[in-house]
Amino acid sequence: MTEYAVRTQTDLKRLIRAAGACDDTIAECVKSIGVDAVVHAVMREVLDRTDLRGCPAAEVLFRLHGGAPPQSQGSDVVIRVADDGTVALATMSTASVTATVAQSLPEVVRSVFGPRGSASTATRVLQWTAESSPETFGRPDPAFETVRRLLDSIDRSYHASLAELCVRSGSDKWGVHQYPQHYERHFQTVRDRPLTILEIGVGGYDNPRRGGESLRMWKRYFPRAAVYGIDIIDKSSLSESRMTILRADQADPVDLARVLEITGPLDIIIDDGSHVSAHVIATFALLFPALRSGGMYVIEDLQTSYWPHFGGKAGVYDDMETSVGFLKAMVDGLNHAEIDNRAQASTDACVKGMHFYHNLAFLEKGENRDEGAPSWLRGL
């Protein structure tokens, strides 16, 4: 990562945290980062979230001001949707502006990056440029759909389901697998938090310019999160706002230590890497300590635990050198206080819950220090 990229991501994290506070706090953060930089960051996020496929061509001017009155410091930015479907962000409008959206910048920042339910349109003024005639009055302009989708991306940050975002992003977590239903069960309650997420495995195999579909899905599902991905192939060129890709071998302690220096403590870790049992187990040992209390560690594609090609063992179901055997032993750890003469494992006291689905496991980090049954009851 370049120094500029690090600084930009840091500023974005500051802005996201400020978006959950009052207008004065947001305004102070905007002033510190710079109005133009904030406006462009917010509108790039809007563009990233908006599915404009099939929309008519349009040029929408966003005039984002500092608050009331509208003459206070602000900045203009234009979203251009061409006839061929390409989308661009510009600073200059033309005579062909379809609509102008004027709104308070702090209000837009909160709507785009704030917690669930905080979106507001109190200061928004929408003006259509074209004058209607008696023949066209009351008939929807084709460009209405383009503007609607853009504004919905501001006002309804949490509307799309994970399965929808899977399909839009091209992730194989839906269709080939049926993971979104399980992910949403565990993640929907924390969707609006400023999380730090790490996914192991970027996709695209050996091609450095392919992959990142699932990372973009997570970025869109968690609109306030910083999303990181690692891959043994250098795919850093795929990085974008709120999504940073680092080269690292998932089983190399030196590589992972370097990754954690960049990410800091993690809230969610998803292992969708090599699926080799030895790698899965080694990665867990190295990364689980960096997971915050209350965080979730997810391991995908556990079917490989039964396939010898991936270090699994067909017909042997409790070998701790396989991914599933390793996890089964951790189930005993959940009940460690009830088991006499058991050698204590390092995870016994900090794995609070485990949830298993087809080829998928969730491990919840938290205090597991409940006392066991009284000794007199065990002897009955």
Side-chain angles (χ1 to χ4, degrees):
M1 295 177 67
T2 65
E3 181 182 351
Y4 173 77
V6 171
R7 187 169 65 250
T8 301
Q9 297 287 22
T10 300
D11 285 343
L12 195 50
K13 287 181 180 180
R14 290 173 53 208
L15 187 65
I16 289 170
R17 291 189 179 277
C22 64
D23 280 356
D24 288 344
T25 300
I26 297 175
E28 289 175 7
C29 186
V30 169
K31 182 178 179 181
S32 173
I33 296 172
V35 173
D36 288 341
V38 170
V39 168
H40 280 79
V42 169
M43 296 315 297
R44 279 196 298 269
E45 182 74 24
V46 170
L47 268 188
D48 185 65
R49 295 181 190 180
T50 310
D51 183 2
L52 293 171
R53 290 173 297 182
C55 281
E59 184 173 291
V60 185
L61 170 62
F62 283 84
R63 182 154 285 163
L64 304 181
H65 53 79
Q71 292 77 18
S72 59
Q73 185 180 14
S75 183
D76 292 354
V77 68
V78 177
I79 291 178
R80 292 194 180 114
V81 183
D83 289 321
D84 61 1
T86 57
V87 181
L89 204 61
T91 55
M92 298 292 293
S93 60
T94 67
S96 60
V97 169
T98 306
T100 299
V101 179
Q103 192 168 356
S104 155
L105 179 55
E107 187 174 75
V108 174
V109 168
R110 178 178 290 106
S111 295
V112 173
F113 287 127
R116 201 170 347 211
S118 61
S120 172
T121 60
T123 66
R124 179 181 295 164
V125 177
L126 171 60
Q127 295 179 326
W128 298 95
T129 303
E131 295 183 1
S132 60
S133 65
E135 292 78 18
T136 61
F137 182 77
R139 297 181 183 177
D141 188 293
F144 284 4
E145 177 63 12
T146 306
V147 178
R148 180 195 69 79
R149 294 193 193 184
L150 287 168
L151 295 183
D152 271 0
S153 292
I154 297 174
D155 302 337
R156 307 176 73 192
S157 298
Y158 300 93
H159 177 67
S161 70
L162 187 58
E164 177 185 343
L165 296 176
C166 260
V167 174
R168 281 172 51 183
S169 302
S171 170
D172 67 355
K173 296 187 193 302
W174 170 250
V176 177
H177 304 290
Q178 297 182 40
Y179 293 159
Q181 59 184 321
H182 308 307
Y183 273 120
E184 287 207 288
R185 180 177 300 165
H186 294 282
F187 289 168
Q188 61 91 16
T189 57
V190 299
R191 188 176 178 184
D192 62 349
R193 296 183 187 177
L195 306 172
T196 303
I197 299 169
L198 173 66
E199 180 158 30
I200 301 153
V202 174
Y205 298 99
D206 292 338
N207 189 331
R209 294 183 176 84
R210 288 187 57 198
E213 292 84 1
S214 292
L215 296 176
R216 294 186 189 96
M217 176 199 70
W218 293 127
K219 172 183 169 180
R220 292 163 183 166
Y221 184 75
F222 293 103
R224 307 184 71 205
V227 179
Y228 294 87
I230 63 172
D231 201 280
I232 199 167
I233 303 297
D234 184 0
K235 303 198 175 207
S236 56
S237 63
L238 301 175
S239 297
E240 55 190 52
S241 174
R242 285 203 303 117
M243 187 182 101
T244 304
I245 299 176
L246 307 167
R247 196 218 67 78
D249 182 336
Q250 74 172 98
D252 187 321
V254 175
D255 280 1
L256 293 188
R258 178 178 51 83
V259 168
L260 292 174
E261 286 179 0
I262 295 171
T263 66
L266 300 162
D267 297 288
I268 294 173
I269 300 170
I270 300 163
D271 187 345
D272 188 17
S274 71
H275 308 309
V276 173
S277 284
H279 296 170
V280 170
I281 295 168
T283 303
F284 180 86
L286 294 166
L287 289 182
F288 190 75
L291 191 66
R292 287 191 177 99
S293 183
M296 196 74 77
Y297 196 107
V298 187
I299 303 174
E300 292 189 2
D301 297 341
L302 286 169
Q303 69 272 20
T304 60
S305 182
Y306 309 104
W307 299 347
H309 180 65
F310 286 85
K313 296 184 179 180
V316 181
Y317 305 120
D318 57 358
D319 191 315
M320 287 186 59
E321 292 184 356
T322 69
S323 301
V324 171
F326 173 74
L327 292 171
K328 284 180 179 178
M330 293 180 67
V331 173
D332 291 330
L334 288 175
N335 304 303
H336 67 92
E338 317 289 347
I339 305 173
D340 293 329
N341 302 317
R342 177 181 178 274
Q344 186 173 8
S346 60
T347 54
D348 286 353
C350 56
V351 174
K352 190 176 184 66
M354 299 177 69
H355 313 266
F356 291 88
Y357 306 94
H358 184 71
N359 298 337
L360 185 67
F362 290 75
L363 288 78
E364 180 184 356
K365 189 170 185 178
E367 297 292 327
N368 179 28
R369 301 181 187 274
D370 292 349
E371 295 181 0
S375 57
W376 62 264
L377 182 59
R378 300 184 190 198
L380 291 179

